[in-house]
PDB file of all heavy atoms in Angstrom:
ATOM      1  N   CYS A  26     260.542 234.194 226.916  1.00 95.00           N
ATOM      2  CA  CYS A  26     261.951 234.058 227.260  1.00 95.00           C
ATOM      3  C   CYS A  26     262.018 233.291 228.612  1.00 95.00           C
ATOM      4  O   CYS A  26     261.636 233.808 229.631  1.00 95.00           O
ATOM      5  CB  CYS A  26     262.523 235.449 227.441  1.00 95.00           C
ATOM      6  SG  CYS A  26     264.222 235.486 228.037  1.00 95.00           S
ATOM      7  N   ALA A  27     262.450 232.052 228.504  1.00 94.00           N
ATOM      8  CA  ALA A  27     262.502 231.191 229.697  1.00 94.00           C
ATOM      9  C   ALA A  27     263.943 231.135 230.272  1.00 94.00           C
ATOM     10  O   ALA A  27     264.910 230.926 229.515  1.00 94.00           O
ATOM     11  CB  ALA A  27     262.079 229.727 229.318  1.00 94.00           C
ATOM     12  N   ALA A  28     264.060 231.365 231.552  1.00 92.00           N
ATOM     13  CA  ALA A  28     265.381 231.391 232.187  1.00 92.00           C
ATOM     14  C   ALA A  28     265.622 230.023 232.848  1.00 92.00           C
ATOM     15  O   ALA A  28     264.879 229.565 233.693  1.00 92.00           O
ATOM     16  CB  ALA A  28     265.431 232.500 233.246  1.00 92.00           C
ATOM     17  N   ALA A  29     266.783 229.446 232.502  1.00 89.00           N
ATOM     18  CA  ALA A  29     267.175 228.134 233.075  1.00 89.00           C
ATOM     19  C   ALA A  29     268.462 228.383 233.904  1.00 89.00           C
ATOM     20  O   ALA A  29     269.260 229.218 233.558  1.00 89.00           O
ATOM     21  CB  ALA A  29     267.453 227.146 231.967  1.00 89.00           C
ATOM     22  N   GLY A  30     268.517 227.646 235.073  1.00 84.00           N
ATOM     23  CA  GLY A  30     269.724 227.775 235.840  1.00 84.00           C
ATOM     24  C   GLY A  30     269.689 228.886 236.881  1.00 84.00           C
ATOM     25  O   GLY A  30     270.666 229.224 237.515  1.00 84.00           O
ATOM     26  N   ARG A  31     268.476 229.512 237.018  1.00 75.00           N
ATOM     27  CA  ARG A  31     268.355 230.650 237.963  1.00 75.00           C
ATOM     28  C   ARG A  31     268.116 230.123 239.364  1.00 75.00           C
ATOM     29  O   ARG A  31     267.336 229.180 239.526  1.00 75.00           O
ATOM     30  CB  ARG A  31     267.231 231.506 237.510  1.00 75.00           C
ATOM     31  CG  ARG A  31     266.852 232.658 238.491  1.00 75.00           C
ATOM     32  CD  ARG A  31     265.674 233.447 237.931  1.00 75.00           C
ATOM     33  NE  ARG A  31     266.061 234.304 236.857  1.00 75.00           N
ATOM     34  CZ  ARG A  31     265.169 234.815 235.997  1.00 75.00           C
ATOM     35  NH1 ARG A  31     263.894 234.565 236.140  1.00 75.00           N
ATOM     36  NH2 ARG A  31     265.588 235.606 235.035  1.00 75.00           N
ATOM     37  N   THR A  32     268.753 230.757 240.324  1.00 68.00           N
ATOM     38  CA  THR A  32     268.421 230.456 241.732  1.00 68.00           C
ATOM     39  C   THR A  32     267.658 231.640 242.270  1.00 68.00           C
ATOM     40  O   THR A  32     267.807 232.790 241.839  1.00 68.00           O
ATOM     41  CB  THR A  32     269.712 230.277 242.571  1.00 68.00           C
ATOM     42  OG1 THR A  32     270.525 231.448 242.466  1.00 68.00           O
ATOM     43  CG2 THR A  32     270.489 229.095 242.023  1.00 68.00           C
ATOM     44  N   GLY A  33     266.818 231.417 243.230  1.00 67.00           N
ATOM     45  CA  GLY A  33     266.015 232.465 243.768  1.00 67.00           C
ATOM     46  C   GLY A  33     264.770 232.670 242.919  1.00 67.00           C
ATOM     47  O   GLY A  33     264.517 231.991 241.957  1.00 67.00           O
ATOM     48  N   SER A  34     263.992 233.722 243.293  1.00 69.00           N
ATOM     49  CA  SER A  34     262.685 233.965 242.642  1.00 69.00           C
ATOM     50  C   SER A  34     262.757 235.223 241.774  1.00 69.00           C
ATOM     51  O   SER A  34     262.806 236.328 242.284  1.00 69.00           O
ATOM     52  CB  SER A  34     261.642 234.094 243.758  1.00 69.00           C
ATOM     53  OG  SER A  34     260.388 234.439 243.120  1.00 69.00           O
ATOM     54  N   GLY A  35     262.773 235.009 240.514  1.00 84.00           N
ATOM     55  CA  GLY A  35     262.607 236.076 239.569  1.00 84.00           C
ATOM     56  C   GLY A  35     263.846 236.936 239.396  1.00 84.00           C
ATOM     57  O   GLY A  35     264.839 236.770 240.069  1.00 84.00           O
ATOM     58  N   ASP A  36     263.750 237.868 238.449  1.00 91.00           N
ATOM     59  CA  ASP A  36     264.814 238.800 238.125  1.00 91.00           C
ATOM     60  C   ASP A  36     264.231 239.931 237.352  1.00 91.00           C
ATOM     61  O   ASP A  36     263.198 239.823 236.730  1.00 91.00           O
ATOM     62  CB  ASP A  36     265.888 238.094 237.297  1.00 91.00           C
ATOM     63  CG  ASP A  36     267.222 238.860 237.223  1.00 91.00           C
ATOM     64  OD1 ASP A  36     267.305 239.930 237.792  1.00 91.00           O
ATOM     65  OD2 ASP A  36     268.141 238.352 236.524  1.00 91.00           O
ATOM     66  N   ALA A  37     264.887 241.082 237.354  1.00 95.00           N
ATOM     67  CA  ALA A  37     264.504 242.167 236.488  1.00 95.00           C
ATOM     68  C   ALA A  37     264.850 241.776 235.044  1.00 95.00           C
ATOM     69  O   ALA A  37     265.940 241.221 234.786  1.00 95.00           O
ATOM     70  CB  ALA A  37     265.245 243.479 236.834  1.00 95.00           C
ATOM     71  N   MET A  38     263.896 241.992 234.117  1.00 96.00           N
ATOM     72  CA  MET A  38     264.048 241.543 232.754  1.00 96.00           C
ATOM     73  C   MET A  38     263.845 242.714 231.765  1.00 96.00           C
ATOM     74  O   MET A  38     263.214 243.738 232.132  1.00 96.00           O
ATOM     75  CB  MET A  38     263.040 240.474 232.402  1.00 96.00           C
ATOM     76  CG  MET A  38     263.042 239.278 233.307  1.00 96.00           C
ATOM     77  SD  MET A  38     264.548 238.236 233.064  1.00 96.00           S
ATOM     78  CE  MET A  38     264.215 237.623 231.403  1.00 96.00           C
ATOM     79  N   GLY A  39     264.391 242.539 230.617  1.00 97.00           N
ATOM     80  CA  GLY A  39     264.199 243.600 229.594  1.00 97.00           C
ATOM     81  C   GLY A  39     264.079 242.923 228.197  1.00 97.00           C
ATOM     82  O   GLY A  39     264.555 241.787 227.986  1.00 97.00           O
ATOM     83  N   TRP A  40     263.495 243.697 227.313  1.00 97.00           N
ATOM     84  CA  TRP A  40     263.466 243.300 225.866  1.00 97.00           C
ATOM     85  C   TRP A  40     264.095 244.427 225.074  1.00 97.00           C
ATOM     86  O   TRP A  40     263.734 245.595 225.243  1.00 97.00           O
ATOM     87  CB  TRP A  40     262.030 243.104 225.407  1.00 97.00           C
ATOM     88  CG  TRP A  40     261.407 241.848 225.918  1.00 97.00           C
ATOM     89  CD1 TRP A  40     260.635 241.708 227.026  1.00 97.00           C
ATOM     90  CD2 TRP A  40     261.531 240.532 225.336  1.00 97.00           C
ATOM     91  NE1 TRP A  40     260.263 240.373 227.179  1.00 97.00           N
ATOM     92  CE2 TRP A  40     260.752 239.634 226.155  1.00 97.00           C
ATOM     93  CE3 TRP A  40     262.160 240.004 224.196  1.00 97.00           C
ATOM     94  CZ2 TRP A  40     260.613 238.283 225.892  1.00 97.00           C
ATOM     95  CZ3 TRP A  40     262.010 238.661 223.894  1.00 97.00           C
ATOM     96  CH2 TRP A  40     261.275 237.812 224.759  1.00 97.00           C
ATOM     97  N   PHE A  41     265.014 244.025 224.222  1.00 98.00           N
ATOM     98  CA  PHE A  41     265.779 244.984 223.390  1.00 98.00           C
ATOM     99  C   PHE A  41     265.546 244.565 221.931  1.00 98.00           C
ATOM    100  O   PHE A  41     265.249 243.449 221.659  1.00 98.00           O
ATOM    101  CB  PHE A  41     267.246 244.934 223.713  1.00 98.00           C
ATOM    102  CG  PHE A  41     267.658 245.443 225.065  1.00 98.00           C
ATOM    103  CD1 PHE A  41     267.380 244.811 226.210  1.00 98.00           C
ATOM    104  CD2 PHE A  41     268.297 246.743 225.143  1.00 98.00           C
ATOM    105  CE1 PHE A  41     267.698 245.266 227.453  1.00 98.00           C
ATOM    106  CE2 PHE A  41     268.646 247.202 226.400  1.00 98.00           C
ATOM    107  CZ  PHE A  41     268.346 246.482 227.541  1.00 98.00           C
ATOM    108  N   ARG A  42     265.744 245.542 221.057  1.00 97.00           N
ATOM    109  CA  ARG A  42     265.703 245.211 219.655  1.00 97.00           C
ATOM    110  C   ARG A  42     266.785 245.972 218.898  1.00 97.00           C
ATOM    111  O   ARG A  42     267.199 247.082 219.304  1.00 97.00           O
ATOM    112  CB  ARG A  42     264.323 245.518 219.018  1.00 97.00           C
ATOM    113  CG  ARG A  42     263.999 246.991 218.870  1.00 97.00           C
ATOM    114  CD  ARG A  42     262.610 247.165 218.318  1.00 97.00           C
ATOM    115  NE  ARG A  42     262.175 248.542 218.192  1.00 97.00           N
ATOM    116  CZ  ARG A  42     260.963 248.981 217.888  1.00 97.00           C
ATOM    117  NH1 ARG A  42     260.018 248.060 217.624  1.00 97.00           N
ATOM    118  NH2 ARG A  42     260.721 250.236 217.773  1.00 97.00           N
ATOM    119  N   GLN A  43     267.230 245.380 217.775  1.00 96.00           N
ATOM    120  CA  GLN A  43     268.205 246.055 216.936  1.00 96.00           C
ATOM    121  C   GLN A  43     267.776 245.883 215.489  1.00 96.00           C
ATOM    122  O   GLN A  43     267.730 244.764 214.969  1.00 96.00           O
ATOM    123  CB  GLN A  43     269.605 245.513 217.173  1.00 96.00           C
ATOM    124  CG  GLN A  43     270.678 246.286 216.388  1.00 96.00           C
ATOM    125  CD  GLN A  43     272.089 245.954 216.866  1.00 96.00           C
ATOM    126  OE1 GLN A  43     272.340 244.942 217.493  1.00 96.00           O
ATOM    127  NE2 GLN A  43     272.996 246.901 216.621  1.00 96.00           N
ATOM    128  N   ALA A  44     267.389 246.981 214.875  1.00 95.00           N
ATOM    129  CA  ALA A  44     267.045 247.013 213.481  1.00 95.00           C
ATOM    130  C   ALA A  44     268.271 247.188 212.629  1.00 95.00           C
ATOM    131  O   ALA A  44     269.282 247.713 213.091  1.00 95.00           O
ATOM    132  CB  ALA A  44     266.022 248.118 213.248  1.00 95.00           C
ATOM    133  N   PRO A  45     268.229 246.804 211.362  1.00 90.00           N
ATOM    134  CA  PRO A  45     269.363 246.943 210.435  1.00 90.00           C
ATOM    135  C   PRO A  45     269.846 248.392 210.413  1.00 90.00           C
ATOM    136  O   PRO A  45     269.044 249.339 210.228  1.00 90.00           O
ATOM    137  CB  PRO A  45     268.808 246.539 209.093  1.00 90.00           C
ATOM    138  CG  PRO A  45     267.708 245.594 209.419  1.00 90.00           C
ATOM    139  CD  PRO A  45     267.065 246.146 210.672  1.00 90.00           C
ATOM    140  N   GLY A  46     271.148 248.590 210.669  1.00 93.00           N
ATOM    141  CA  GLY A  46     271.757 249.911 210.559  1.00 93.00           C
ATOM    142  C   GLY A  46     271.456 250.832 211.759  1.00 93.00           C
ATOM    143  O   GLY A  46     271.852 252.002 211.781  1.00 93.00           O
ATOM    144  N   LYS A  47     270.832 250.276 212.824  1.00 95.00           N
ATOM    145  CA  LYS A  47     270.504 251.030 213.976  1.00 95.00           C
ATOM    146  C   LYS A  47     271.111 250.438 215.238  1.00 95.00           C
ATOM    147  O   LYS A  47     271.508 249.309 215.255  1.00 95.00           O
ATOM    148  CB  LYS A  47     268.976 251.172 214.169  1.00 95.00           C
ATOM    149  CG  LYS A  47     268.271 251.915 213.017  1.00 95.00           C
ATOM    150  CD  LYS A  47     266.810 252.146 213.366  1.00 95.00           C
ATOM    151  CE  LYS A  47     266.160 252.951 212.253  1.00 95.00           C
ATOM    152  NZ  LYS A  47     264.693 253.178 212.577  1.00 95.00           N
ATOM    153  N   GLU A  48     271.185 251.296 216.287  1.00 95.00           N
ATOM    154  CA  GLU A  48     271.737 250.798 217.555  1.00 95.00           C
ATOM    155  C   GLU A  48     270.648 249.968 218.298  1.00 95.00           C
ATOM    156  O   GLU A  48     269.430 250.137 218.075  1.00 95.00           O
ATOM    157  CB  GLU A  48     272.142 252.003 218.433  1.00 95.00           C
ATOM    158  CG  GLU A  48     273.314 252.739 217.875  1.00 95.00           C
ATOM    159  CD  GLU A  48     273.811 253.802 218.834  1.00 95.00           C
ATOM    160  OE1 GLU A  48     273.187 254.048 219.859  1.00 95.00           O
ATOM    161  OE2 GLU A  48     274.840 254.442 218.514  1.00 95.00           O
ATOM    162  N   ARG A  49     271.094 249.132 219.154  1.00 95.00           N
ATOM    163  CA  ARG A  49     270.165 248.330 219.971  1.00 95.00           C
ATOM    164  C   ARG A  49     269.486 249.263 220.974  1.00 95.00           C
ATOM    165  O   ARG A  49     270.096 250.132 221.579  1.00 95.00           O
ATOM    166  CB  ARG A  49     270.930 247.241 220.693  1.00 95.00           C
ATOM    167  CG  ARG A  49     270.023 246.273 221.424  1.00 95.00           C
ATOM    168  CD  ARG A  49     270.764 244.957 221.747  1.00 95.00           C
ATOM    169  NE  ARG A  49     271.905 245.222 222.636  1.00 95.00           N
ATOM    170  CZ  ARG A  49     272.757 244.209 222.956  1.00 95.00           C
ATOM    171  NH1 ARG A  49     272.576 243.011 222.460  1.00 95.00           N
ATOM    172  NH2 ARG A  49     273.787 244.458 223.759  1.00 95.00           N
ATOM    173  N   GLU A  50     268.212 249.086 221.140  1.00 97.00           N
ATOM    174  CA  GLU A  50     267.420 249.904 222.052  1.00 97.00           C
ATOM    175  C   GLU A  50     266.579 249.038 222.938  1.00 97.00           C
ATOM    176  O   GLU A  50     266.139 247.921 222.579  1.00 97.00           O
ATOM    177  CB  GLU A  50     266.523 250.879 221.246  1.00 97.00           C
ATOM    178  CG  GLU A  50     265.423 250.194 220.423  1.00 97.00           C
ATOM    179  CD  GLU A  50     264.380 251.137 219.881  1.00 97.00           C
ATOM    180  OE1 GLU A  50     264.204 252.206 220.421  1.00 97.00           O
ATOM    181  OE2 GLU A  50     263.744 250.738 218.868  1.00 97.00           O
ATOM    182  N   CYS A  51     266.318 249.579 224.122  1.00 98.00           N
ATOM    183  CA  CYS A  51     265.422 248.888 225.099  1.00 98.00           C
ATOM    184  C   CYS A  51     264.014 249.296 224.725  1.00 98.00           C
ATOM    185  O   CYS A  51     263.636 250.452 224.732  1.00 98.00           O
ATOM    186  CB  CYS A  51     265.761 249.316 226.505  1.00 98.00           C
ATOM    187  SG  CYS A  51     264.717 248.543 227.774  1.00 98.00           S
ATOM    188  N   VAL A  52     263.161 248.316 224.461  1.00 98.00           N
ATOM    189  CA  VAL A  52     261.754 248.594 224.145  1.00 98.00           C
ATOM    190  C   VAL A  52     260.856 248.388 225.383  1.00 98.00           C
ATOM    191  O   VAL A  52     259.786 249.035 225.453  1.00 98.00           O
ATOM    192  CB  VAL A  52     261.240 247.795 222.946  1.00 98.00           C
ATOM    193  CG1 VAL A  52     261.963 248.161 221.690  1.00 98.00           C
ATOM    194  CG2 VAL A  52     261.334 246.296 223.220  1.00 98.00           C
ATOM    195  N   ALA A  53     261.252 247.534 226.291  1.00 98.00           N
ATOM    196  CA  ALA A  53     260.453 247.304 227.492  1.00 98.00           C
ATOM    197  C   ALA A  53     261.313 246.683 228.550  1.00 98.00           C
ATOM    198  O   ALA A  53     262.258 246.002 228.296  1.00 98.00           O
ATOM    199  CB  ALA A  53     259.304 246.375 227.178  1.00 98.00           C
ATOM    200  N   ALA A  54     260.964 247.045 229.807  1.00 98.00           N
ATOM    201  CA  ALA A  54     261.682 246.475 230.978  1.00 98.00           C
ATOM    202  C   ALA A  54     260.714 246.276 232.105  1.00 98.00           C
ATOM    203  O   ALA A  54     259.708 247.008 232.230  1.00 98.00           O
ATOM    204  CB  ALA A  54     262.844 247.357 231.365  1.00 98.00           C
ATOM    205  N   ILE A  55     261.031 245.365 233.068  1.00 97.00           N
ATOM    206  CA  ILE A  55     260.150 245.109 234.184  1.00 97.00           C
ATOM    207  C   ILE A  55     261.004 244.791 235.405  1.00 97.00           C
ATOM    208  O   ILE A  55     262.031 244.176 235.310  1.00 97.00           O
ATOM    209  CB  ILE A  55     259.195 243.955 233.844  1.00 97.00           C
ATOM    210  CG1 ILE A  55     258.115 243.791 234.900  1.00 97.00           C
ATOM    211  CG2 ILE A  55     259.951 242.624 233.622  1.00 97.00           C
ATOM    212  CD1 ILE A  55     256.963 242.867 234.476  1.00 97.00           C
ATOM    213  N   SER A  56     260.516 245.228 236.556  1.00 96.00           N
ATOM    214  CA  SER A  56     261.262 244.983 237.782  1.00 96.00           C
ATOM    215  C   SER A  56     261.088 243.540 238.253  1.00 96.00           C
ATOM    216  O   SER A  56     260.211 242.820 237.733  1.00 96.00           O
ATOM    217  CB  SER A  56     260.734 245.917 238.883  1.00 96.00           C
ATOM    218  OG  SER A  56     259.371 245.642 239.149  1.00 96.00           O
ATOM    219  N   ARG A  57     261.883 243.127 239.179  1.00 93.00           N
ATOM    220  CA  ARG A  57     261.836 241.761 239.652  1.00 93.00           C
ATOM    221  C   ARG A  57     260.514 241.447 240.299  1.00 93.00           C
ATOM    222  O   ARG A  57     259.968 240.354 240.181  1.00 93.00           O
ATOM    223  CB  ARG A  57     262.989 241.475 240.657  1.00 93.00           C
ATOM    224  CG  ARG A  57     263.033 240.114 241.286  1.00 93.00           C
ATOM    225  CD  ARG A  57     264.440 239.750 241.735  1.00 93.00           C
ATOM    226  NE  ARG A  57     264.943 240.686 242.773  1.00 93.00           N
ATOM    227  CZ  ARG A  57     264.793 240.525 244.066  1.00 93.00           C
ATOM    228  NH1 ARG A  57     264.098 239.511 244.518  1.00 93.00           N
ATOM    229  NH2 ARG A  57     265.258 241.389 244.944  1.00 93.00           N
ATOM    230  N   SER A  58     259.932 242.462 240.957  1.00 93.00           N
ATOM    231  CA  SER A  58     258.619 242.285 241.558  1.00 93.00           C
ATOM    232  C   SER A  58     257.494 242.185 240.566  1.00 93.00           C
ATOM    233  O   SER A  58     256.362 241.727 240.861  1.00 93.00           O
ATOM    234  CB  SER A  58     258.327 243.443 242.548  1.00 93.00           C
ATOM    235  OG  SER A  58     258.129 244.627 241.833  1.00 93.00           O
ATOM    236  N   GLY A  59     257.754 242.714 239.349  1.00 93.00           N
ATOM    237  CA  GLY A  59     256.713 242.784 238.320  1.00 93.00           C
ATOM    238  C   GLY A  59     255.827 243.986 238.465  1.00 93.00           C
ATOM    239  O   GLY A  59     254.961 244.265 237.630  1.00 93.00           O
ATOM    240  N   GLY A  60     256.105 244.807 239.503  1.00 94.00           N
ATOM    241  CA  GLY A  60     255.233 245.963 239.752  1.00 94.00           C
ATOM    242  C   GLY A  60     255.582 247.172 239.020  1.00 94.00           C
ATOM    243  O   GLY A  60     254.752 248.122 238.946  1.00 94.00           O
ATOM    244  N   ASN A  61     256.761 247.282 238.516  1.00 97.00           N
ATOM    245  CA  ASN A  61     257.181 248.506 237.764  1.00 97.00           C
ATOM    246  C   ASN A  61     257.659 248.106 236.365  1.00 97.00           C
ATOM    247  O   ASN A  61     258.406 247.133 236.225  1.00 97.00           O
ATOM    248  CB  ASN A  61     258.318 249.185 238.504  1.00 97.00           C
ATOM    249  CG  ASN A  61     257.855 249.786 239.826  1.00 97.00           C
ATOM    250  OD1 ASN A  61     256.890 250.488 239.883  1.00 97.00           O
ATOM    251  ND2 ASN A  61     258.574 249.494 240.878  1.00 97.00           N
ATOM    252  N   THR A  62     257.147 248.831 235.376  1.00 97.00           N
ATOM    253  CA  THR A  62     257.491 248.530 233.985  1.00 97.00           C
ATOM    254  C   THR A  62     257.846 249.788 233.240  1.00 97.00           C
ATOM    255  O   THR A  62     257.430 250.919 233.647  1.00 97.00           O
ATOM    256  CB  THR A  62     256.336 247.833 233.228  1.00 97.00           C
ATOM    257  OG1 THR A  62     255.195 248.682 233.240  1.00 97.00           O
ATOM    258  CG2 THR A  62     255.945 246.489 233.889  1.00 97.00           C
ATOM    259  N   PHE A  63     258.559 249.597 232.167  1.00 98.00           N
ATOM    260  CA  PHE A  63     258.965 250.694 231.251  1.00 98.00           C
ATOM    261  C   PHE A  63     258.586 250.254 229.832  1.00 98.00           C
ATOM    262  O   PHE A  63     258.815 249.074 229.472  1.00 98.00           O
ATOM    263  CB  PHE A  63     260.419 250.951 231.345  1.00 98.00           C
ATOM    264  CG  PHE A  63     261.004 251.697 230.172  1.00 98.00           C
ATOM    265  CD1 PHE A  63     260.888 253.062 230.066  1.00 98.00           C
ATOM    266  CD2 PHE A  63     261.678 250.982 229.152  1.00 98.00           C
ATOM    267  CE1 PHE A  63     261.350 253.734 228.967  1.00 98.00           C
ATOM    268  CE2 PHE A  63     262.209 251.673 228.060  1.00 98.00           C
ATOM    269  CZ  PHE A  63     262.018 253.028 227.932  1.00 98.00           C
ATOM    270  N   SER A  64     258.097 251.205 229.014  1.00 97.00           N
ATOM    271  CA  SER A  64     257.880 250.969 227.618  1.00 97.00           C
ATOM    272  C   SER A  64     258.466 252.180 226.837  1.00 97.00           C
ATOM    273  O   SER A  64     258.165 253.321 227.225  1.00 97.00           O
ATOM    274  CB  SER A  64     256.408 250.800 227.257  1.00 97.00           C
ATOM    275  OG  SER A  64     255.873 249.684 227.847  1.00 97.00           O
ATOM    276  N   ALA A  65     259.192 251.921 225.803  1.00 97.00           N
ATOM    277  CA  ALA A  65     259.720 253.016 224.965  1.00 97.00           C
ATOM    278  C   ALA A  65     258.529 253.755 224.308  1.00 97.00           C
ATOM    279  O   ALA A  65     257.487 253.114 223.992  1.00 97.00           O
ATOM    280  CB  ALA A  65     260.694 252.446 223.935  1.00 97.00           C
ATOM    281  N   ASP A  66     258.735 255.010 224.032  1.00 97.00           N
ATOM    282  CA  ASP A  66     257.650 255.821 223.401  1.00 97.00           C
ATOM    283  C   ASP A  66     257.239 255.205 222.130  1.00 97.00           C
ATOM    284  O   ASP A  66     256.061 255.252 221.733  1.00 97.00           O
ATOM    285  CB  ASP A  66     258.136 257.264 223.209  1.00 97.00           C
ATOM    286  CG  ASP A  66     258.265 258.032 224.486  1.00 97.00           C
ATOM    287  OD1 ASP A  66     257.669 257.585 225.517  1.00 97.00           O
ATOM    288  OD2 ASP A  66     258.921 259.081 224.505  1.00 97.00           O
ATOM    289  N   SER A  67     258.171 254.581 221.349  1.00 95.00           N
ATOM    290  CA  SER A  67     257.835 254.011 220.047  1.00 95.00           C
ATOM    291  C   SER A  67     256.930 252.841 220.144  1.00 95.00           C
ATOM    292  O   SER A  67     256.310 252.458 219.065  1.00 95.00           O
ATOM    293  CB  SER A  67     259.175 253.631 219.354  1.00 95.00           C
ATOM    294  OG  SER A  67     259.876 252.706 220.110  1.00 95.00           O
ATOM    295  N   VAL A  68     256.793 252.224 221.256  1.00 96.00           N
ATOM    296  CA  VAL A  68     255.944 251.003 221.354  1.00 96.00           C
ATOM    297  C   VAL A  68     254.871 251.148 222.438  1.00 96.00           C
ATOM    298  O   VAL A  68     254.048 250.207 222.612  1.00 96.00           O
ATOM    299  CB  VAL A  68     256.809 249.767 221.667  1.00 96.00           C
ATOM    300  CG1 VAL A  68     257.922 249.567 220.607  1.00 96.00           C
ATOM    301  CG2 VAL A  68     257.397 249.787 223.069  1.00 96.00           C
ATOM    302  N   LYS A  69     254.839 252.228 223.076  1.00 96.00           N
ATOM    303  CA  LYS A  69     253.862 252.428 224.183  1.00 96.00           C
ATOM    304  C   LYS A  69     252.447 252.312 223.723  1.00 96.00           C
ATOM    305  O   LYS A  69     252.051 252.814 222.636  1.00 96.00           O
ATOM    306  CB  LYS A  69     254.083 253.825 224.787  1.00 96.00           C
ATOM    307  CG  LYS A  69     253.442 254.011 226.160  1.00 96.00           C
ATOM    308  CD  LYS A  69     253.995 255.238 226.903  1.00 96.00           C
ATOM    309  CE  LYS A  69     255.437 255.033 227.279  1.00 96.00           C
ATOM    310  NZ  LYS A  69     255.993 256.135 228.071  1.00 96.00           N
TER     311      LYS A  69
END
């Protein structure tokens, strides 16, 4: 996922998914520093 048009260095990012008939869920997220991350139990 490449970000264009961003000013400054980095940003907190996340990955979400939506399966048919289901709500969108966050599967992974990362802080702007890159030092803190989250993974959903289903993908850990």
Side-chain angles (χ1 to χ4, degrees):
C26 176
R31 173 182 287 162
T32 59
S34 178
D36 193 1
M38 303 291 293
W40 287 94
F41 291 73
R42 70 182 178 188
Q43 187 164 22
K47 295 187 177 180
E48 293 186 355
R49 187 162 61 186
E50 64 169 338
C51 180
V52 296
I55 189 167
S56 64
R57 180 156 59 92
S58 68
N61 292 310
T62 60
F63 161 81
S64 294
D66 288 344
S67 58
V68 305
K69 195 163 292 185

